[in-house]
Amino acid sequence: MNDTPPVARRELIAQRLDQGQTVVAAVLAEEFSVSEDAIRRDLRALAAQGRCRRVYGGALPISPMSASMSVRAAEDIDRKHVLAKAAAKLVCPGEVIFLDNGSANLALAAELPGDLGLKVITNSVPIASVLFQRQDLDFMILGGVVDREVGGVIDASAVLAVQQLSIDRCFLGACALSVRHGVCIFDAGDAAFKRALIGVSEAIVLMALTEKLETRAPHRVAPLEALDTLILEADAPEAMQDDLAQAGAKIVLA
């Protein structure tokens, strides 16, 4: 393929990314008989166009969940509240629950029952803002440096604070979810925070819009079997539901 023009080569790479494929610079360089530097330039250009996410050695397809929290919070609000209503039914009286960073968990902050004596903890600034408006819930926010892209604190002090907690039910956030790769995230610090969160939680719940299913991100948080409950949209493809269930996820349809 050494006669492929640069623009055509770039479009071929983009088509693979659009189909959800991960691309590796060294492999592409060999396939197209060009230098890895040429491929890296292609990937930088595609990333600048918003068509991929650059990672060491190549690029990943863009997940619909790779945008910042401020962007995601304004998207698909009604669908997220449907998931949140199903999630709220899982909580039990007197539980200590954790709402991790995430736009679906932001919806859940408004849907939590206020008459169960819940203790709510979060590391998310937007979620804390919603909880602050409620007079029927006690809540605590972890301290630390706020990551604006993530929407909350995920630094070393936040990880240390989490390690001192005992959580009954954690509502985990995620950027991507697949049978093979489990729960994944784009930010390495956020992934480390979530792993610490899983380590101190008795039960893990994850809400996922259909767009998240069978996508991946660079940093793996946990395998599917680490989740106690996976809440999906009612119209999630049955084949995906079956695959996730066979991988160990207990599925609840919202």
Side-chain angles (χ1 to χ4, degrees), residues 155-202:
D155 61 4
S157 63
V159 171
L160 181 61
V162 159
Q163 290 171 342
Q164 315 307 312
L165 297 175
S166 178
I167 299 164
D168 294 311
R169 196 177 307 274
C170 168
F171 292 91
L172 192 70
C175 295
L177 184 72
S178 70
V179 170
R180 180 178 178 185
H181 301 286
V183 179
C184 295
I185 210 81
F186 281 110
D187 186 277
D190 198 15
F193 179 87
K194 293 180 193 307
R195 293 186 201 109
L197 196 51
I198 289 172
V200 297
S201 300
E202 291 295 321

Side-chain angles (χ1 to χ4, degrees), residues 15-132:
Q15 288 173 9
R16 296 180 190 182
L17 289 160
D18 291 343
Q19 292 166 3
Q21 299 179 33
T22 300
V23 296
V24 178
V27 173
L28 291 174
E30 182 176 355
E31 176 184 345
F32 290 102
S33 299
V34 296
S35 68
E36 287 190 41
D37 282 342
I39 296 297
R40 282 193 284 268
R41 286 194 295 272
D42 290 340
L43 297 180
R44 282 196 296 270
L46 292 172
Q49 296 169 13
R51 301 187 70 177
C52 72
R53 186 177 180 91
R54 292 280 284 117
V55 294
Y56 181 78
L60 294 173
I62 287 291
S63 163
M65 304 304 154
S66 62
S68 68
M69 176 64 169
S70 60
V71 172
R72 288 183 286 114
E75 298 175 338
D76 299 308
I77 295 174
D78 291 342
R79 294 168 65 196
K80 290 169 184 174
H81 275 279
V82 171
L83 293 177
K85 288 178 186 296
K89 295 177 182 179
L90 299 177
V91 300
C92 298
E95 282 191 332
V96 176
I97 69 171
F98 196 101
L99 299 184
D100 184 25
N101 286 304
S103 53
N105 287 343
L106 179 61
L108 178 57
E111 299 291 348
L112 286 173
D115 57 352
L116 298 182
L118 302 176
K119 172 77 170 182
V120 186
I121 308 173
T122 188
N123 62 326
S124 165
V125 174
I127 289 174
S129 179
V130 172
L131 294 172
F132 182 74

Side-chain angles (χ1 to χ4, degrees), residues 101 123-126 141-155 157-158:
N101 286 304
N123 62 326
S124 165
V125 174
I141 182 170
L142 299 186
V145 178
V146 175
D147 185 307
R148 292 182 181 275
E149 286 296 307
V150 172
V153 294
I154 53 172
D155 61 4
S157 63

